[in-house]
Amino acid sequence: MVEPVAIIPEAALPVEPNPAILPVAESPDDLKLITGIGPALEKKLRACGITTYRQLAALSDTDIERVEAIIKSFGRIRRDDWIGQAKAQHFKKYQETL
């Protein structure tokens, strides 16, 4: 007899590794400097492996959807322009354009 296979919803699957958001040798940035990110959201982002402005600025549309599902804050990343703010904070801190 064949065992039935359970279908796992995509949102329940673990986030696939993405080079843009993998931990790097850089020291963590203060993500709370980005409007809309407080201590609780910063902790959730760090749990996703996002610790630097560079990683946040490099999120693709697919990454944004997955991260928002994990942090349970749908639409927030685009609405508050975290990507643009991360690029600005990165430039301010490192004088490097992303």
Side-chain angles (χ1 to χ4, degrees):
M1 182 171 181
V2 176
E3 295 284 324
V5 176
I7 298 178
I8 301 171
E10 186 176 323
L13 295 174
V15 175
E16 295 174 14
N18 179 331
I21 60 174
L22 289 176
V24 293
E26 296 178 61
S27 60
D29 291 320
D30 185 0
L31 301 178
K32 296 182 303 296
L33 294 177
I34 294 173
T35 301
I37 300 178
L41 278 176
E42 182 181 48
K43 185 176 180 179
K44 289 179 182 182
L45 289 170
R46 291 190 189 286
C48 292
I50 300 171
T51 61
T52 66
Y53 301 131
R54 177 186 300 277
Q55 291 169 313
L56 189 56
L59 293 179
S60 68
D61 289 338
T62 303
D63 295 330
I64 289 171
E65 290 174 18
R66 290 183 181 181
V67 169
E68 286 182 337
I70 292 168
I71 66 174
K72 300 187 183 346
S73 188
F74 300 97
R76 188 90 182 254
I77 293 174
R78 288 184 181 96
R79 184 176 57 247
D80 290 344
D81 189 26
W82 289 2
I83 306 299
Q85 290 188 66
K87 288 178 181 180
Q89 287 294 338
H90 181 85
F91 181 78
K92 184 177 178 181
K93 183 174 181 180
Y94 300 105
Q95 289 75 48
E96 175 188 23
T97 303
L98 296 177

